[in-house]
Amino acid sequence: SPFDRNVPVQLELQELLLDHVFQRLGVASQGCVDHPIVLTEAVCNPLYSRQMMSELLFECYQVPKVSYGVDSLYSFYHNRRQNWPCSGLVISSGYQCTHVLPVLEGRLDAKNCKRINLGGCQAAVYLQRLLQLKYPGHFAAITLSRMEEILHEHSYIAEDYIEELQKWRSPEYYENNMHKMQLPFSNKLLGSTLTSEEKQERRQQQLRRLQELNARRREEKLQLDQERLDRLLYVQELLEDGQMDQFHKALVELNMDSAEELQSYINKLSLSVEQTKQKILQAEVNIEVDVVDSKPETPDLDPLGSEQSLEDVESINEFEPLFAEEQPEVEKPVAAVQPVFNLAEYHQLFLGTERIRAPEIVFQPSLIGEDQAGIAETMQYVLERYPKEQQAILVQNVFLTGGNTMYPGLKARVQKELLEMRPFQSSFQVHLASSPVLDAWYGARDWAVEHMSREEGWITRKDYEEKGGEYLKEHCASNVYVPIRLPKQAPRTTESLAPSRVLTSSTGNPCEQA
């Protein structure tokens, strides 16, 4: 599925990730890691994935023992209070997916777990698409990182989505609830960073590079034409010396028919070589003249012909704008150019209904074209798989955790959905994790400290060698271990072997069989 493509399944990549983690924790990973490891894994993690991770930890890092658990269950047990029941319905929404996990009497009911392949990543991509269509001029500035920032700081969950959209139709409501986001921009105008001297020097450098490039091309062309001309002159000498056989053979190689055609090609190449030589000499002379007369001084003018010289100067001044097009623009001060509109306002994003449309996809996946059920439908589907007594127990502790549950209004929306699906006058309770992002780590830490000296939940190297890498010791926050069951082969009895023996003995002599 698209969700599983981001899971690393190569041992080399997993080893690099673990090396980075151990380095950040200050644990030396050379040789062995002499520390117990607590790892989180996905809900209903495949045995093959756990087998690869156990093999890497025990064979590569030589860890003494390891324990696997589910992050949302760690968060669930970290937030337990004294009066909380051991059963509940855990709704965990993260970056890539959302899980609905029923917990009965302190253990995960893996048969009725459900996953929705929508999370914060899909909401950010949807918001990016909405704003890029709304502001096509800022297509490159509307990045995923900025969309995640908008989701965390400006978005919220509407308790009633249709009713909230009707409120946004009011201009007053829009002005009061619309948020602005400023994109980065620059007030400097294009071309204002270079002075006139720098521009003139840059033009001269470009002119010199162009002249050098043309000179190089002319020299290459001259060399190639000269080689071809020498070849043709050599063939003509064969004709003059009377070596007709070699002459006709050379004409065939040159793809020519007669001596007249050869003479025509010689004349053309000779003319081309002479013209190229003249161009090279003229270009060298022009470069020398430009270097010597680049800055003429007016005091050196002849005093006898001063009138004529002044007329020449005036005529040159008339054509000067044709050769210095950017000079008048440089003379104008930059402060005099007033922009038609305010650049700061042009680089602003106005967030209206996008604040509720992006996070709404976890309740209505059809907004982005996904053929999946939302959180409300999935909760109802999971609850209907239990008797009414167990349904009443589960809804007494609906627990929200994960980074994608931090939207304002999510708890009220879940309460509204439960009120619509539950029977009349039935009770339920919805709780939000104290720290939806970090409670999974806190729960794993508390569990490790409490069970450090116990054998419950820890897989030792002996267990790994005896029962395989896919083995799992269950505990309060772990998955359910389902071992691989291979079909047993039926034992071969003596009665089943008897016919085969008869056949092998009878096939020995066809005459006796007859």
PDB file of all heavy atoms in Angstrom, residues 11-46:
ATOM      1  N   LEU A  11      18.177  -4.256   5.635  1.00  0.00           N
ATOM      2  CA  LEU A  11      18.967  -4.322   6.852  1.00  0.00           C
ATOM      3  C   LEU A  11      20.022  -3.217   6.891  1.00  0.00           C
ATOM      4  O   LEU A  11      20.323  -2.683   7.963  1.00  0.00           O
ATOM      5  CB  LEU A  11      19.627  -5.693   6.957  1.00  0.00           C
ATOM      6  CG  LEU A  11      18.686  -6.861   7.301  1.00  0.00           C
ATOM      7  CD1 LEU A  11      19.462  -8.165   7.309  1.00  0.00           C
ATOM      8  CD2 LEU A  11      18.031  -6.639   8.649  1.00  0.00           C
ATOM      9  N   GLU A  12      20.604  -2.871   5.748  1.00  0.00           N
ATOM     10  CA  GLU A  12      21.627  -1.829   5.733  1.00  0.00           C
ATOM     11  C   GLU A  12      21.046  -0.478   6.136  1.00  0.00           C
ATOM     12  O   GLU A  12      21.644   0.263   6.922  1.00  0.00           O
ATOM     13  CB  GLU A  12      22.247  -1.737   4.345  1.00  0.00           C
ATOM     14  CG  GLU A  12      23.001  -2.999   3.925  1.00  0.00           C
ATOM     15  CD  GLU A  12      23.582  -2.866   2.534  1.00  0.00           C
ATOM     16  OE1 GLU A  12      23.349  -1.819   1.902  1.00  0.00           O
ATOM     17  OE2 GLU A  12      24.257  -3.809   2.089  1.00  0.00           O
ATOM     18  N   LEU A  13      19.857  -0.146   5.630  1.00  0.00           N
ATOM     19  CA  LEU A  13      19.223   1.118   5.981  1.00  0.00           C
ATOM     20  C   LEU A  13      18.818   1.127   7.452  1.00  0.00           C
ATOM     21  O   LEU A  13      18.993   2.134   8.151  1.00  0.00           O
ATOM     22  CB  LEU A  13      18.002   1.354   5.084  1.00  0.00           C
ATOM     23  CG  LEU A  13      17.219   2.648   5.330  1.00  0.00           C
ATOM     24  CD1 LEU A  13      18.126   3.855   5.205  1.00  0.00           C
ATOM     25  CD2 LEU A  13      16.054   2.756   4.366  1.00  0.00           C
ATOM     26  N   GLN A  14      18.283   0.015   7.954  1.00  0.00           N
ATOM     27  CA  GLN A  14      17.923  -0.054   9.364  1.00  0.00           C
ATOM     28  C   GLN A  14      19.152   0.073  10.256  1.00  0.00           C
ATOM     29  O   GLN A  14      19.101   0.707  11.316  1.00  0.00           O
ATOM     30  CB  GLN A  14      17.194  -1.368   9.638  1.00  0.00           C
ATOM     31  CG  GLN A  14      15.797  -1.442   9.042  1.00  0.00           C
ATOM     32  CD  GLN A  14      15.116  -2.757   9.321  1.00  0.00           C
ATOM     33  OE1 GLN A  14      15.754  -3.730   9.716  1.00  0.00           O
ATOM     34  NE2 GLN A  14      13.818  -2.816   9.110  1.00  0.00           N
ATOM     35  N   GLU A  15      20.260  -0.511   9.819  1.00  0.00           N
ATOM     36  CA  GLU A  15      21.486  -0.401  10.613  1.00  0.00           C
ATOM     37  C   GLU A  15      21.966   1.046  10.674  1.00  0.00           C
ATOM     38  O   GLU A  15      22.409   1.531  11.727  1.00  0.00           O
ATOM     39  CB  GLU A  15      22.559  -1.300  10.011  1.00  0.00           C
ATOM     40  CG  GLU A  15      23.852  -1.333  10.818  1.00  0.00           C
ATOM     41  CD  GLU A  15      24.868  -2.290  10.228  1.00  0.00           C
ATOM     42  OE1 GLU A  15      24.526  -2.988   9.255  1.00  0.00           O
ATOM     43  OE2 GLU A  15      26.001  -2.323  10.736  1.00  0.00           O
ATOM     44  N   LEU A  16      21.874   1.777   9.555  1.00  0.00           N
ATOM     45  CA  LEU A  16      22.255   3.189   9.559  1.00  0.00           C
ATOM     46  C   LEU A  16      21.358   4.007  10.484  1.00  0.00           C
ATOM     47  O   LEU A  16      21.837   4.894  11.209  1.00  0.00           O
ATOM     48  CB  LEU A  16      22.194   3.740   8.134  1.00  0.00           C
ATOM     49  CG  LEU A  16      23.263   3.235   7.157  1.00  0.00           C
ATOM     50  CD1 LEU A  16      23.008   3.794   5.771  1.00  0.00           C
ATOM     51  CD2 LEU A  16      24.650   3.602   7.626  1.00  0.00           C
ATOM     52  N   LEU A  17      20.073   3.703  10.488  1.00  0.00           N
ATOM     53  CA  LEU A  17      19.154   4.428  11.377  1.00  0.00           C
ATOM     54  C   LEU A  17      19.474   4.152  12.842  1.00  0.00           C
ATOM     55  O   LEU A  17      19.483   5.067  13.671  1.00  0.00           O
ATOM     56  CB  LEU A  17      17.711   4.022  11.061  1.00  0.00           C
ATOM     57  CG  LEU A  17      17.156   4.459   9.703  1.00  0.00           C
ATOM     58  CD1 LEU A  17      15.777   3.872   9.474  1.00  0.00           C
ATOM     59  CD2 LEU A  17      17.091   5.970   9.608  1.00  0.00           C
ATOM     60  N   LEU A  18      19.748   2.890  13.170  1.00  0.00           N
ATOM     61  CA  LEU A  18      20.063   2.561  14.557  1.00  0.00           C
ATOM     62  C   LEU A  18      21.404   3.164  14.978  1.00  0.00           C
ATOM     63  O   LEU A  18      21.557   3.603  16.129  1.00  0.00           O
ATOM     64  CB  LEU A  18      20.083   1.048  14.736  1.00  0.00           C
ATOM     65  CG  LEU A  18      18.702   0.364  14.704  1.00  0.00           C
ATOM     66  CD1 LEU A  18      18.848  -1.139  14.810  1.00  0.00           C
ATOM     67  CD2 LEU A  18      17.818   0.880  15.826  1.00  0.00           C
ATOM     68  N   ASP A  19      22.383   3.188  14.078  1.00  0.00           N
ATOM     69  CA  ASP A  19      23.656   3.835  14.407  1.00  0.00           C
ATOM     70  C   ASP A  19      23.453   5.311  14.730  1.00  0.00           C
ATOM     71  O   ASP A  19      24.066   5.846  15.670  1.00  0.00           O
ATOM     72  CB  ASP A  19      24.631   3.695  13.233  1.00  0.00           C
ATOM     73  CG  ASP A  19      25.185   2.281  13.108  1.00  0.00           C
ATOM     74  OD1 ASP A  19      25.132   1.546  14.118  1.00  0.00           O
ATOM     75  OD2 ASP A  19      25.644   1.905  12.015  1.00  0.00           O
ATOM     76  N   HIS A  20      22.605   5.959  13.949  1.00  0.00           N
ATOM     77  CA  HIS A  20      22.319   7.379  14.209  1.00  0.00           C
ATOM     78  C   HIS A  20      21.625   7.552  15.561  1.00  0.00           C
ATOM     79  O   HIS A  20      21.965   8.472  16.330  1.00  0.00           O
ATOM     80  CB  HIS A  20      21.447   7.939  13.095  1.00  0.00           C
ATOM     81  CG  HIS A  20      21.018   9.359  13.315  1.00  0.00           C
ATOM     82  ND1 HIS A  20      21.876  10.433  13.206  1.00  0.00           N
ATOM     83  CD2 HIS A  20      19.802   9.881  13.662  1.00  0.00           C
ATOM     84  CE1 HIS A  20      21.219  11.547  13.461  1.00  0.00           C
ATOM     85  NE2 HIS A  20      19.961  11.239  13.735  1.00  0.00           N
ATOM     86  N   VAL A  21      20.682   6.669  15.882  1.00  0.00           N
ATOM     87  CA  VAL A  21      19.959   6.774  17.159  1.00  0.00           C
ATOM     88  C   VAL A  21      20.916   6.550  18.323  1.00  0.00           C
ATOM     89  O   VAL A  21      20.919   7.304  19.312  1.00  0.00           O
ATOM     90  CB  VAL A  21      18.802   5.767  17.185  1.00  0.00           C
ATOM     91  CG1 VAL A  21      18.188   5.711  18.576  1.00  0.00           C
ATOM     92  CG2 VAL A  21      17.744   6.141  16.160  1.00  0.00           C
ATOM     93  N   PHE A  22      21.746   5.526  18.244  1.00  0.00           N
ATOM     94  CA  PHE A  22      22.684   5.255  19.335  1.00  0.00           C
ATOM     95  C   PHE A  22      23.685   6.393  19.487  1.00  0.00           C
ATOM     96  O   PHE A  22      24.089   6.739  20.602  1.00  0.00           O
ATOM     97  CB  PHE A  22      23.414   3.936  19.073  1.00  0.00           C
ATOM     98  CG  PHE A  22      22.527   2.725  19.202  1.00  0.00           C
ATOM     99  CD1 PHE A  22      22.668   1.634  18.350  1.00  0.00           C
ATOM    100  CD2 PHE A  22      21.541   2.662  20.166  1.00  0.00           C
ATOM    101  CE1 PHE A  22      21.854   0.528  18.464  1.00  0.00           C
ATOM    102  CE2 PHE A  22      20.717   1.564  20.295  1.00  0.00           C
ATOM    103  CZ  PHE A  22      20.868   0.495  19.436  1.00  0.00           C
ATOM    104  N   GLN A  23      24.094   6.991  18.372  1.00  0.00           N
ATOM    105  CA  GLN A  23      25.030   8.109  18.452  1.00  0.00           C
ATOM    106  C   GLN A  23      24.392   9.318  19.123  1.00  0.00           C
ATOM    107  O   GLN A  23      25.035   9.993  19.945  1.00  0.00           O
ATOM    108  CB  GLN A  23      25.509   8.472  17.045  1.00  0.00           C
ATOM    109  CG  GLN A  23      26.550   9.584  17.022  1.00  0.00           C
ATOM    110  CD  GLN A  23      27.009   9.912  15.613  1.00  0.00           C
ATOM    111  OE1 GLN A  23      26.490   9.343  14.650  1.00  0.00           O
ATOM    112  NE2 GLN A  23      27.962  10.812  15.493  1.00  0.00           N
ATOM    113  N   ARG A  24      23.126   9.585  18.807  1.00  0.00           N
ATOM    114  CA  ARG A  24      22.438  10.709  19.449  1.00  0.00           C
ATOM    115  C   ARG A  24      22.208  10.457  20.935  1.00  0.00           C
ATOM    116  O   ARG A  24      22.177  11.393  21.734  1.00  0.00           O
ATOM    117  CB  ARG A  24      21.104  10.969  18.746  1.00  0.00           C
ATOM    118  CG  ARG A  24      21.221  11.451  17.314  1.00  0.00           C
ATOM    119  CD  ARG A  24      21.873  12.821  17.245  1.00  0.00           C
ATOM    120  NE  ARG A  24      21.097  13.825  17.945  1.00  0.00           N
ATOM    121  CZ  ARG A  24      20.142  14.555  17.389  1.00  0.00           C
ATOM    122  NH1 ARG A  24      19.880  14.397  16.102  1.00  0.00           N
ATOM    123  NH2 ARG A  24      19.480  15.447  18.087  1.00  0.00           N
ATOM    124  N   LEU A  25      22.045   9.194  21.312  1.00  0.00           N
ATOM    125  CA  LEU A  25      21.842   8.856  22.720  1.00  0.00           C
ATOM    126  C   LEU A  25      23.152   8.750  23.491  1.00  0.00           C
ATOM    127  O   LEU A  25      23.127   8.567  24.707  1.00  0.00           O
ATOM    128  CB  LEU A  25      21.074   7.530  22.838  1.00  0.00           C
ATOM    129  CG  LEU A  25      19.630   7.534  22.332  1.00  0.00           C
ATOM    130  CD1 LEU A  25      19.041   6.147  22.408  1.00  0.00           C
ATOM    131  CD2 LEU A  25      18.776   8.500  23.151  1.00  0.00           C
ATOM    132  N   GLY A  26      24.269   8.838  22.812  1.00  0.00           N
ATOM    133  CA  GLY A  26      25.551   8.729  23.487  1.00  0.00           C
ATOM    134  C   GLY A  26      25.956   7.313  23.809  1.00  0.00           C
ATOM    135  O   GLY A  26      26.754   7.090  24.736  1.00  0.00           O
ATOM    136  N   VAL A  27      25.421   6.334  23.068  1.00  0.00           N
ATOM    137  CA  VAL A  27      25.732   4.929  23.309  1.00  0.00           C
ATOM    138  C   VAL A  27      26.687   4.463  22.222  1.00  0.00           C
ATOM    139  O   VAL A  27      26.410   4.638  21.024  1.00  0.00           O
ATOM    140  CB  VAL A  27      24.451   4.065  23.312  1.00  0.00           C
ATOM    141  CG1 VAL A  27      24.786   2.593  23.518  1.00  0.00           C
ATOM    142  CG2 VAL A  27      23.495   4.550  24.399  1.00  0.00           C
ATOM    143  N   ALA A  28      27.796   3.872  22.622  1.00  0.00           N
ATOM    144  CA  ALA A  28      28.767   3.364  21.662  1.00  0.00           C
ATOM    145  C   ALA A  28      28.218   2.104  21.009  1.00  0.00           C
ATOM    146  O   ALA A  28      27.860   1.137  21.697  1.00  0.00           O
ATOM    147  CB  ALA A  28      30.096   3.074  22.341  1.00  0.00           C
ATOM    148  N   SER A  29      28.107   2.105  19.669  1.00  0.00           N
ATOM    149  CA  SER A  29      27.546   0.968  18.941  1.00  0.00           C
ATOM    150  C   SER A  29      28.603   0.092  18.309  1.00  0.00           C
ATOM    151  O   SER A  29      28.283  -0.784  17.508  1.00  0.00           O
ATOM    152  CB  SER A  29      26.589   1.470  17.854  1.00  0.00           C
ATOM    153  OG  SER A  29      27.269   2.325  16.959  1.00  0.00           O
ATOM    154  N   GLN A  30      29.887   0.320  18.625  1.00  0.00           N
ATOM    155  CA  GLN A  30      30.958  -0.508  18.084  1.00  0.00           C
ATOM    156  C   GLN A  30      31.110  -1.766  18.933  1.00  0.00           C
ATOM    157  O   GLN A  30      31.267  -1.685  20.144  1.00  0.00           O
ATOM    158  CB  GLN A  30      32.274   0.275  18.055  1.00  0.00           C
ATOM    159  CG  GLN A  30      32.239   1.512  17.194  1.00  0.00           C
ATOM    160  CD  GLN A  30      32.049   1.181  15.723  1.00  0.00           C
ATOM    161  OE1 GLN A  30      32.437   0.110  15.263  1.00  0.00           O
ATOM    162  NE2 GLN A  30      31.448   2.098  14.981  1.00  0.00           N
ATOM    163  N   GLY A  31      31.066  -2.905  18.288  1.00  0.00           N
ATOM    164  CA  GLY A  31      31.184  -4.162  19.025  1.00  0.00           C
ATOM    165  C   GLY A  31      29.850  -4.642  19.510  1.00  0.00           C
ATOM    166  O   GLY A  31      29.264  -5.571  18.950  1.00  0.00           O
ATOM    167  N   CYS A  32      29.326  -4.025  20.566  1.00  0.00           N
ATOM    168  CA  CYS A  32      28.023  -4.432  21.102  1.00  0.00           C
ATOM    169  C   CYS A  32      27.401  -3.263  21.839  1.00  0.00           C
ATOM    170  O   CYS A  32      28.082  -2.305  22.224  1.00  0.00           O
ATOM    171  CB  CYS A  32      28.164  -5.641  22.028  1.00  0.00           C
ATOM    172  SG  CYS A  32      29.071  -5.289  23.559  1.00  0.00           S
ATOM    173  N   VAL A  33      26.084  -3.340  22.037  1.00  0.00           N
ATOM    174  CA  VAL A  33      25.317  -2.365  22.814  1.00  0.00           C
ATOM    175  C   VAL A  33      24.809  -3.089  24.050  1.00  0.00           C
ATOM    176  O   VAL A  33      23.859  -3.875  23.980  1.00  0.00           O
ATOM    177  CB  VAL A  33      24.149  -1.783  21.981  1.00  0.00           C
ATOM    178  CG1 VAL A  33      23.340  -0.815  22.831  1.00  0.00           C
ATOM    179  CG2 VAL A  33      24.675  -1.083  20.740  1.00  0.00           C
ATOM    180  N   ASP A  34      25.453  -2.847  25.156  1.00  0.00           N
ATOM    181  CA  ASP A  34      25.143  -3.570  26.390  1.00  0.00           C
ATOM    182  C   ASP A  34      24.034  -2.863  27.151  1.00  0.00           C
ATOM    183  O   ASP A  34      24.197  -2.476  28.313  1.00  0.00           O
ATOM    184  CB  ASP A  34      26.404  -3.699  27.243  1.00  0.00           C
ATOM    185  CG  ASP A  34      26.219  -4.713  28.383  1.00  0.00           C
ATOM    186  OD1 ASP A  34      25.256  -5.503  28.304  1.00  0.00           O
ATOM    187  OD2 ASP A  34      27.031  -4.698  29.326  1.00  0.00           O
ATOM    188  N   HIS A  35      22.896  -2.667  26.489  1.00  0.00           N
ATOM    189  CA  HIS A  35      21.741  -2.016  27.112  1.00  0.00           C
ATOM    190  C   HIS A  35      20.468  -2.699  26.618  1.00  0.00           C
ATOM    191  O   HIS A  35      20.370  -3.038  25.428  1.00  0.00           O
ATOM    192  CB  HIS A  35      21.674  -0.525  26.758  1.00  0.00           C
ATOM    193  CG  HIS A  35      22.825   0.277  27.270  1.00  0.00           C
ATOM    194  ND1 HIS A  35      22.863   0.795  28.544  1.00  0.00           N
ATOM    195  CD2 HIS A  35      23.989   0.641  26.681  1.00  0.00           C
ATOM    196  CE1 HIS A  35      24.009   1.465  28.711  1.00  0.00           C
ATOM    197  NE2 HIS A  35      24.700   1.383  27.583  1.00  0.00           N
ATOM    198  N   PRO A  36      19.481  -2.901  27.479  1.00  0.00           N
ATOM    199  CA  PRO A  36      18.177  -3.384  26.990  1.00  0.00           C
ATOM    200  C   PRO A  36      17.536  -2.333  26.080  1.00  0.00           C
ATOM    201  O   PRO A  36      17.693  -1.129  26.280  1.00  0.00           O
ATOM    202  CB  PRO A  36      17.370  -3.603  28.274  1.00  0.00           C
ATOM    203  CG  PRO A  36      18.382  -3.666  29.374  1.00  0.00           C
ATOM    204  CD  PRO A  36      19.526  -2.808  28.945  1.00  0.00           C
ATOM    205  N   ILE A  37      16.811  -2.795  25.084  1.00  0.00           N
ATOM    206  CA  ILE A  37      16.211  -1.916  24.079  1.00  0.00           C
ATOM    207  C   ILE A  37      14.694  -2.068  24.132  1.00  0.00           C
ATOM    208  O   ILE A  37      14.179  -3.192  24.159  1.00  0.00           O
ATOM    209  CB  ILE A  37      16.728  -2.252  22.673  1.00  0.00           C
ATOM    210  CG1 ILE A  37      18.257  -2.161  22.625  1.00  0.00           C
ATOM    211  CG2 ILE A  37      16.113  -1.339  21.642  1.00  0.00           C
ATOM    212  CD1 ILE A  37      18.804  -0.780  22.857  1.00  0.00           C
ATOM    213  N   VAL A  38      13.999  -0.941  24.150  1.00  0.00           N
ATOM    214  CA  VAL A  38      12.538  -0.915  24.029  1.00  0.00           C
ATOM    215  C   VAL A  38      12.215  -0.244  22.702  1.00  0.00           C
ATOM    216  O   VAL A  38      12.586   0.912  22.482  1.00  0.00           O
ATOM    217  CB  VAL A  38      11.875  -0.161  25.191  1.00  0.00           C
ATOM    218  CG1 VAL A  38      10.367  -0.104  24.994  1.00  0.00           C
ATOM    219  CG2 VAL A  38      12.207  -0.827  26.516  1.00  0.00           C
ATOM    220  N   LEU A  39      11.528  -0.956  21.811  1.00  0.00           N
ATOM    221  CA  LEU A  39      11.203  -0.466  20.480  1.00  0.00           C
ATOM    222  C   LEU A  39       9.696  -0.450  20.285  1.00  0.00           C
ATOM    223  O   LEU A  39       8.993  -1.347  20.775  1.00  0.00           O
ATOM    224  CB  LEU A  39      11.836  -1.341  19.403  1.00  0.00           C
ATOM    225  CG  LEU A  39      13.312  -1.106  19.059  1.00  0.00           C
ATOM    226  CD1 LEU A  39      13.748  -2.107  18.004  1.00  0.00           C
ATOM    227  CD2 LEU A  39      13.531   0.300  18.550  1.00  0.00           C
ATOM    228  N   THR A  40       9.225   0.561  19.563  1.00  0.00           N
ATOM    229  CA  THR A  40       7.820   0.577  19.165  1.00  0.00           C
ATOM    230  C   THR A  40       7.700  -0.002  17.766  1.00  0.00           C
ATOM    231  O   THR A  40       8.600   0.138  16.939  1.00  0.00           O
ATOM    232  CB  THR A  40       7.261   2.006  19.181  1.00  0.00           C
ATOM    233  OG1 THR A  40       8.019   2.820  18.291  1.00  0.00           O
ATOM    234  CG2 THR A  40       7.323   2.590  20.577  1.00  0.00           C
ATOM    235  N   GLU A  41       6.595  -0.638  17.498  1.00  0.00           N
ATOM    236  CA  GLU A  41       6.331  -1.220  16.188  1.00  0.00           C
ATOM    237  C   GLU A  41       4.900  -0.908  15.793  1.00  0.00           C
ATOM    238  O   GLU A  41       4.085  -0.468  16.612  1.00  0.00           O
ATOM    239  CB  GLU A  41       6.572  -2.727  16.200  1.00  0.00           C
ATOM    240  CG  GLU A  41       5.680  -3.492  17.162  1.00  0.00           C
ATOM    241  CD  GLU A  41       5.951  -4.991  17.120  1.00  0.00           C
ATOM    242  OE1 GLU A  41       6.869  -5.414  16.422  1.00  0.00           O
ATOM    243  OE2 GLU A  41       5.198  -5.736  17.795  1.00  0.00           O
ATOM    244  N   ALA A  42       4.578  -1.144  14.537  1.00  0.00           N
ATOM    245  CA  ALA A  42       3.237  -0.854  14.034  1.00  0.00           C
ATOM    246  C   ALA A  42       2.224  -1.828  14.607  1.00  0.00           C
ATOM    247  O   ALA A  42       2.564  -2.932  15.069  1.00  0.00           O
ATOM    248  CB  ALA A  42       3.235  -0.928  12.512  1.00  0.00           C
ATOM    249  N   VAL A  43       0.984  -1.417  14.581  1.00  0.00           N
ATOM    250  CA  VAL A  43      -0.092  -2.307  15.032  1.00  0.00           C
ATOM    251  C   VAL A  43      -0.175  -3.499  14.088  1.00  0.00           C
ATOM    252  O   VAL A  43      -0.146  -3.334  12.855  1.00  0.00           O
ATOM    253  CB  VAL A  43      -1.422  -1.536  15.078  1.00  0.00           C
ATOM    254  CG1 VAL A  43      -2.539  -2.456  15.562  1.00  0.00           C
ATOM    255  CG2 VAL A  43      -1.296  -0.326  15.979  1.00  0.00           C
ATOM    256  N   CYS A  44      -0.257  -4.703  14.654  1.00  0.00           N
ATOM    257  CA  CYS A  44      -0.302  -5.942  13.866  1.00  0.00           C
ATOM    258  C   CYS A  44       0.902  -6.012  12.917  1.00  0.00           C
ATOM    259  O   CYS A  44       0.761  -6.271  11.718  1.00  0.00           O
ATOM    260  CB  CYS A  44      -1.614  -6.060  13.099  1.00  0.00           C
ATOM    261  SG  CYS A  44      -3.084  -6.030  14.152  1.00  0.00           S
ATOM    262  N   ASN A  45       2.062  -5.754  13.479  1.00  0.00           N
ATOM    263  CA  ASN A  45       3.289  -5.759  12.691  1.00  0.00           C
ATOM    264  C   ASN A  45       3.531  -7.147  12.100  1.00  0.00           C
ATOM    265  O   ASN A  45       3.417  -8.150  12.800  1.00  0.00           O
ATOM    266  CB  ASN A  45       4.468  -5.360  13.588  1.00  0.00           C
ATOM    267  CG  ASN A  45       5.721  -5.081  12.801  1.00  0.00           C
ATOM    268  OD1 ASN A  45       5.665  -4.600  11.672  1.00  0.00           O
ATOM    269  ND2 ASN A  45       6.862  -5.377  13.394  1.00  0.00           N
ATOM    270  N   PRO A  46       3.883  -7.253  10.815  1.00  0.00           N
ATOM    271  CA  PRO A  46       4.153  -8.574  10.234  1.00  0.00           C
ATOM    272  C   PRO A  46       5.335  -9.252  10.926  1.00  0.00           C
ATOM    273  O   PRO A  46       6.278  -8.607  11.387  1.00  0.00           O
ATOM    274  CB  PRO A  46       4.473  -8.255   8.769  1.00  0.00           C
ATOM    275  CG  PRO A  46       3.849  -6.928   8.521  1.00  0.00           C
ATOM    276  CD  PRO A  46       3.915  -6.188   9.806  1.00  0.00           C
TER     277      PRO A  46
END
